[in-house]
Amino acid sequence: SASTERISDWQASTFINENGNVKEIKLNKEDILTEKVNNNISNRKFTFPSLQEGCIIEYEYIIRSPYYDRLKSWVFQGEHPALWSEYTVTIPPLFD
């Protein structure tokens, strides 16, 4: 519906160092789960494939929301080191 937030364009990878060679393991779309919280809220969940100590993770997704006045917060540096963290917002010209 017009008042629903949607998450799309999921991409996630785990990068593993195997004997000096970096191997990328991509997320399978089938591994994205939807958990219904109630009639109005569902959570989307996924796990990183082949996650292990010392690997690097990378993920991105798009949230499409009709709530232009409620931008999501973003933690650019959390408990674990982040080499890159980006938050892009696109607002329709009507609201410029």
Side-chain angles (χ1 to χ4, degrees):
S1 79
S3 64
T4 302
E5 288 186 319
R6 299 265 182 227
I7 298 176
S8 64
D9 301 333
W10 289 77
Q11 295 181 44
S13 294
T14 303
F15 296 88
I16 301 169
N17 184 345
E18 286 187 346
N19 303 321
N21 295 316
V22 176
K23 180 179 178 184
E24 178 182 9
I25 301 134
K26 293 186 177 192
L27 172 73
N28 291 318
K29 302 298 181 191
E30 301 82 40
D31 293 333
I32 301 171
L33 308 172
T34 301
E35 173 188 73
K36 187 172 181 174
V37 175
N38 60 41
N39 288 335
N40 298 315
I41 298 172
S42 293
N43 288 329
R44 300 295 300 267
K45 295 181 177 185
F46 67 96
T47 60
F48 287 94
S50 302
L51 194 61
Q52 57 186 270
E53 186 175 340
C55 65
I56 294 175
I57 59 171
E58 181 177 280
Y59 62 95
E60 67 179 81
Y61 54 88
I62 294 174
I63 299 175
R64 288 182 170 83
S65 175
Y67 308 115
Y68 62 88
D69 59 336
R70 296 184 216 158
L71 293 177
K72 306 284 186 210
S73 62
W74 184 257
V75 177
F76 286 91
Q77 185 69 51
E79 177 184 346
H80 304 287
L83 298 175
W84 181 267
S85 184
E86 183 175 329
Y87 180 38
T88 304
V89 176
T90 304
I91 300 172
L94 174 67
F95 299 108
D96 279 351

